[in-house]
Amino acid sequence: MKKIFVANFKMNKTNPEVLDYIQELNNHLPESLSSDVCLCLPYTSLCLGKFLDERIAVGAQNMHEEDFGPFTGEISADMLCCLGVKYVIIGHSERRKYFNETNEKINKKIKTALRHGLKVVLCVGETKVQRNSKRTTEILSQQIESALSGIFENELKGIIIAYEPVWAIGTGKVASSEDIEEAVKTIRKLISSHYSKQAAQDQKILYGGSLTSGTAKSILKIDGICGALVGGASLDPNEFIKIIS
Ligand code: 13P
């Protein structure tokens, strides 16, 4: 399976900084890039995606579930598509935590994104408290079952699931190979029971949480991991190039 690397800039970089980043990335991209790569830029920089090397896709970090209307400050799927955006992150734990995104809202957003032909990067993962109380499987099941409610099997090809344990995000603590492998198995089991064995086998699953060029190799070797969703380490173009190379 082709590897996928998604950079999540979060709320970082002004437009001049993004332009510098793009120049550096374009100049140092390996000629033989064999993975799918996407930069999820802040909304304000999405218009700069056109300056990226054509092998790199542009993504957004969120979108609204309605097509248009009186939602001050929000961004619709159409608005993203018009800027050449191909991917959208949905259900990031920071949005669940700070912006009260519920599983129900995430499900609506996924349906809207798919209807507009956007590829969805659906984030799931447990908090430290949930892990310590052995609720990881239960939480992953809740998040995935509600996110995928009403989604047909043929639509799964438009969805990439990113396993991002909340306690590993921005903490420098990478989940162990055993924890990641177990989460991947749980996710595939869920897909298999709700759809089919084939769907479970084909499901693209990424890891996210404090991944760097130093840890990428061993994480990418984990059975069933197809790539990574990278936060902090993606903000330095040379570090991100090391990860995707
Ligand atoms: P870090 O790589 O900074 O831990 O962030 C991960 C993440 O939240 C990507 O979406």
Side-chain angles (χ1 to χ4, degrees), residues 95-213:
R95 296 217 52 90
R96 293 177 191 259
K97 183 176 173 191
Y98 302 122
F99 303 96
N100 303 320
E101 270 195 20
T102 59
N103 284 326
E104 195 190 3
K105 206 176 179 66
I106 289 164
N107 174 248
K108 284 187 185 156
K109 288 188 180 199
I110 293 175
K111 286 176 176 158
T112 305
L114 293 176
R115 190 157 41 78
H116 286 83
L118 289 164
K119 275 209 187 304
V120 170
V121 180
L122 164 66
C123 299
V124 295
E126 79 290 357
T127 63
K128 189 82 204 162
V129 172
Q130 289 162 341
R131 168 160 289 274
N132 288 344
S133 47
K134 307 212 177 311
R135 293 181 60 212
T136 301
T137 303
E138 174 200 332
I139 297 299
L140 291 179
S141 308
Q142 273 172 11
Q143 291 175 338
I144 289 173
E145 277 164 10
S146 45
L148 299 183
S149 162
I151 305 275
F152 298 107
E153 179 162 338
N154 67 348
E155 295 178 295
L156 290 180
K157 59 182 181 304
I159 302 177
I160 297 159
I161 298 178
Y163 171 58
E164 291 208 314
V166 180
W167 49 272
I169 295 176
T171 58
K173 287 182 198 139
V174 182
S176 69
S177 302
E178 293 75 33
D179 290 347
I180 300 174
E181 217 172 305
E182 181 135 0
V184 168
K185 269 192 202 147
T186 302
I187 295 169
R188 288 204 199 282
K189 225 189 219 172
L190 283 164
I191 302 288
S192 176
S193 65
H194 288 279
Y195 296 98
S196 67
K197 267 194 182 154
Q198 188 62 48
Q201 209 176 308
D202 294 344
Q203 182 59 54
K204 295 190 168 83
I205 304 176
L206 313 182
Y207 169 78
S210 295
L211 184 127
T212 61
S213 61

